[in-house]
Amino acid sequence: GAVVSQHPSRVICKSGTSVKIECRSLDFQATTMFWYRQFPKKSLMLMATSNEGSKATYEQGVEKDKFLINHASLTLSTLTVTSAHPEDSSFYICSARSGIPYNEQFFGPGTRLTVL
Amino acid sequence: GDSVTQMEGPVTLSEEAFLTINCTYTATGYPSLFWYVQYPGEGLQLLLKATKADDKGSNKGFEATYRKETTSFHLEKGSVQVSDSAVYFCALSDQGNNRLAFGKGNQVVVIP
């Protein structure tokens, strides 16, 4: 199957700083990438959908100015958490959707963000 | 909106026991249904899927049948192994936009 990586796997930052998380599809071109947030003992919550070369589509309640998404190429999407606060601490997971023959979403291993 | 409900709480069972994880859904259209598995330290992996009513998805000894009349997609395995210990997520996708809605997940622990 296809492989999706995320970097970093774990990050600790101070309140007020910005953090960038990368999501890469390693062996396929991803027409669409998705960003999820997972709270403890909660399901994954879709934050936004990004298509290469266009603006991301954010889910209701997700601040687009706080969670900046860039999908500059068919293999890379980035999520930047701007002016992070402790309530932004969470597990962030990306997925990449390929076209034929898979036409399914492949998930990255996730990034644990802790904001002090 | 579309949503998925999984049974509450972790599941602990002995090796070779029968596993069932319940999943029900609410959707306005005709969604595709999925089970994903997350092993410790890894990303979610697609375990099986079904795209229309009465379809049965199967993989690695796991099975789930798309039941439109009961809006359910329960996951079953006849004889679990220690290596099946993981978190299992039920999900649905609107066939038009491929956005996934997940259940809360169930931690499965298989004891030797």
Side-chain angles (χ1 to χ4, degrees), chain A residues 49-67:
Chain A
T49 302
S50 74
N51 293 296
E52 185 266 338
S54 62
K55 289 184 178 180
T57 302
Y58 290 81
E59 296 298 303
Q60 192 172 11
V62 178
E63 299 176 61
K64 62 180 180 181
D65 293 331
K66 180 166 188 63
F67 298 100

Side-chain angles (χ1 to χ4, degrees), chain A residues 15-90:
Chain A
S15 186
T17 60
S18 295
V19 174
K20 180 184 284 187
I21 302 170
E22 293 186 349
C23 176
R24 292 181 184 273
S25 55
L26 297 185
D27 50 3
F28 67 100
Q29 292 185 327
T31 53
T32 305
M33 287 185 169
F34 302 86
W35 285 96
Y36 297 85
R37 185 171 176 176
Q38 186 177 28
F39 296 93
K41 299 183 179 180
K42 299 282 186 183
S43 64
L44 279 72
M45 180 194 77
L46 179 64
M47 299 174 65
T49 302
S50 74
N51 293 296
E52 185 266 338
S54 62
K55 289 184 178 180
T57 302
Y58 290 81
E59 296 298 303
Q60 192 172 11
V62 178
E63 299 176 61
K64 62 180 180 181
D65 293 331
K66 180 166 188 63
F67 298 100
L68 301 178
I69 292 172
N70 183 284
H71 192 163
S73 76
L74 285 172
T75 59
L76 173 64
S77 176
T78 60
L79 167 68
T80 301
V81 183
T82 63
S83 187
H85 291 281
E87 57 264 30
D88 299 325
S89 298
S90 192

